[in-house]
Amino acid sequence: MTDYRVVDPATNTVLATYPAVTDDEVAAAVEGSAEAFRAWRARPVADRAAVLAEVAAAIRGEIDELGAIATREMGKTVAEAHGELQIVADIFDYYAEQGPGFIADRTLPVAEGEATVRFEPLGVLLGIMPWNYPYYQIARLAAPNLLLGNTVLLKPAPACPESAYAFQRLLRGAGIPEGVYETVLATNEQVRSVIEHPAVQGVSLTGSERAGRAVGEIAGRALKKVVLELGGSDPFIVLDDADVVEAAKAAVVGRMGNAGQACTAAKRIIVVEDVYDEFLAEFTRGVAALRVGDPAVPGTDLGPLSSESAAATITEFIEDAVAAGARAVAGGPERPATGAFVQPTVLVDVPEAARAYREEVFGPVAVVHKVTDVEEAIRVANDTPFGLGSAVFGKDPDRLRQVVDRLEVGMVAINHSSRTQADLPFGGVKASGIGRELGEFGLHEFVNVKLVRTV
């Protein structure tokens, strides 16, 4: 049986261990969620919206306590933990305020009679969550679907049981009934049984491409709807007419935020040669200025990675790139001797043979490519199996539009690094996943679009 453990990555200290649930407990959770669905969907949408508003207020009232849990579970800095929770509160407020309008009945124009589309909940949903944003990832699934009337079974990452239980406690206190939202510390084997259960109508996973393929296969065989938010190797393109100083500042934040552990981080920075030297100097200066250390100390810019194994993996990426011919032109400040820290690193002249050229590097390592022109920039940007987010910096509107049109991604940020908002859809193409979260599109993923026709 797999245990869920809280390990402080800043000290490698095991703080708590939670046993995985039994098969009987899994079955009871699914059945309880199915039973709770009947009453929850019957409540007026205005009532459900009011509960979501209470959740948002509760999050803002406990931001320090919730943030401290994320810091000790996965090494998130105090500032970043607070920022994540502010976004989570915004998501709940957004669906409380705008959600009812998105699922109001809609009349369709027909030649005779009347036709109406109703947006109804499906039932029990399973959410499989990662560790890098332990609250935000939950909110993207929970807020829209609780508003819609679905119920949620939440499987957290094995490293984040404490934040998962804290979030459940907060939802309960705000008025989410028992069974409507339940945390289940399930094993991978038990996840299969949950997806296959007749009461479960859909599954949402945020994680690796490997995990997405496994869950997608199980769900496909069981004919269950899936939303998969997987990896990314996002390009960050700097054209020759860009404001180089501002682009470099945005690249530091876009690549090194959350210790580089973000799906939409600026993992591949692609710079046109005319401004390459200036950009590289500005960017490496910004990386070197980052303060690396204890994430619980205010003012720390870069905390540890989520675990020792994650730090070892990133170190292997760096060593592989250097062995293939890349150069590490900046390493930033020295990292603490104890804990899952990786020195922030900038790699240049990375050859295609290196793993870091195309694969997702989930840590504080930036790969900077020099390209001759916009055509090569687009070719390099699309030369990856992923297609999540991207950023483009430049001044000519026509050229920016041409780049946007040809990027094979789900999201493009112009003259700023990728960021998330409650009212904007989030998701990608290719190996980066299926479906969208947030905004109106996220609310319509797990919904029965029911046509009512009268002649």
Side-chain angles (χ1 to χ4, degrees), residues 18 44 95 97 144 167 181 228 231 271 294 298 331 335 339 388 413 419:
Y18 296 74
Y95 284 109
E97 296 166 3
F167 201 72
Y181 178 96
L228 303 174
V271 187
D294 186 345
R335 64 181 180 87
L388 189 55
R419 64 189 68 162

Side-chain angles (χ1 to χ4, degrees), residues 365-377:
V365 177
V367 175
V368 184
H369 297 283
K370 180 196 293 187
V371 295
T372 56
D373 53 24
V374 66
E375 288 296 320
E376 188 180 4

Side-chain angles (χ1 to χ4, degrees), residues 93-104:
D93 265 340
Y94 172 76
Y95 284 109
E97 296 166 3
Q98 303 298 325
F102 294 149
I103 57 175

Side-chain angles (χ1 to χ4, degrees), residues 63-76:
I63 199 166
D64 290 336
E65 296 85 350
L66 295 171
I69 295 172
T71 296
R72 60 177 173 263
E73 273 190 328
M74 54 76 57
K76 194 180 294 285

Side-chain angles (χ1 to χ4, degrees), residues 208-249:
S208 67
E209 179 186 356
R210 178 185 59 80
R213 291 184 186 278
V215 167
E217 180 180 359
I218 298 168
R221 291 182 183 278
L223 297 179
K224 304 296 175 68
K225 173 67 184 292
V226 296
V227 170
L228 303 174
E229 197 275 277
L230 309 178
S233 189
D234 288 12
F236 183 105
I237 299 172
V238 182
L239 302 177
D240 54 14
D241 63 342
D243 184 325
V244 173
V245 173
E246 290 304 311
K249 290 179 182 177

Side-chain angles (χ1 to χ4, degrees), residues 27-353:
V30 176
E31 291 161 8
S33 188
E35 180 65 27
F37 169 66
R38 297 183 183 94
W40 183 244
R41 71 167 298 176
R43 291 179 61 171
V45 66
D47 288 358
R48 297 196 297 265
V51 173
L52 262 61
E54 290 294 326
V55 172
I59 291 168
R60 293 189 174 99
E62 294 192 31
I63 199 166
D64 290 336
E65 296 85 350
L66 295 171
I69 295 172
T71 296
R72 60 177 173 263
E73 273 190 328
M74 54 76 57
K76 194 180 294 285
T77 66
V78 172
E80 287 175 329
H82 285 196
E84 177 179 344
L85 287 159
Q86 292 285 4
I87 293 172
V88 170
D90 290 345
I91 291 171
F92 276 89
D93 265 340
Y94 172 76
Y95 284 109
E97 296 166 3
Q98 303 298 325
F102 294 149
I103 57 175
D105 292 354
R106 298 184 189 179
T107 301
L108 302 180
V110 290
E112 58 178 332
E114 297 179 353
T116 301
V117 167
R118 302 177 64 184
F119 300 95
E120 298 183 350
L122 293 179
V124 181
L125 305 178
L126 171 65
I128 304 171
M129 296 293 114
W131 45 261
N132 57 332
Y133 291 94
Y135 300 112
Y136 164 68
Q137 303 286 4
I138 294 175
R140 295 198 319 200
L141 171 67
N145 284 292
L146 293 174
L147 184 280
L148 181 60
N150 290 319
T151 57
V152 177
L153 295 172
L154 196 288
K155 180 204 174 296
C160 298
E162 188 179 357
S163 57
Y165 277 133
F167 201 72
Q168 176 175 291
R169 173 189 57 76
L170 184 143
L171 294 180
R172 287 277 195 282
I176 300 292
E178 185 174 351
V180 171
Y181 178 96
E182 292 291 335
T183 300
V184 183
L185 303 189
T187 66
N188 290 338
E189 293 76 17
Q190 291 166 337
V191 165
R192 175 185 290 272
S193 69
V194 174
I195 296 173
E196 293 174 342
H197 195 288
V200 175
Q201 300 302 310
V203 56
S204 176
L205 174 139
T206 299
S208 67
E209 179 186 356
R210 178 185 59 80
R213 291 184 186 278
V215 167
E217 180 180 359
I218 298 168
R221 291 182 183 278
L223 297 179
K224 304 296 175 68
K225 173 67 184 292
V226 296
V227 170
L228 303 174
E229 197 275 277
L230 309 178
S233 189
D234 288 12
F236 183 105
I237 299 172
V238 182
L239 302 177
D240 54 14
D241 63 342
D243 184 325
V244 173
V245 173
E246 290 304 311
K249 290 179 182 177
V252 173
V253 175
R255 183 62 195 110
M256 298 299 171
N258 207 43
Q261 301 169 118
C263 298
T264 55
K267 299 186 179 78
R268 295 177 303 131
I269 301 172
I270 303 164
V271 187
V272 174
E273 61 183 359
D274 289 351
V275 295
Y276 177 83
D277 290 340
E278 181 186 358
F279 174 88
L280 186 61
E282 290 287 343
F283 179 61
T284 54
R285 187 180 300 117
V287 171
L290 295 172
R291 292 161 291 186
V292 182
D294 186 345
V297 174
T300 297
D301 297 312
L302 204 70
L305 271 68
S306 62
S307 66
E308 277 290 318
S309 62
T313 297
I314 298 305
T315 300
E316 289 171 4
F317 266 106
I318 298 171
E319 293 173 345
D320 172 80
V322 172
R327 294 185 297 117
V329 298
E334 291 297 325
R335 64 181 180 87
T338 301
F341 293 89
V342 171
Q343 198 167 338
T345 302
V346 178
L347 295 172
V348 299
D349 301 331
V350 178
E352 292 192 33

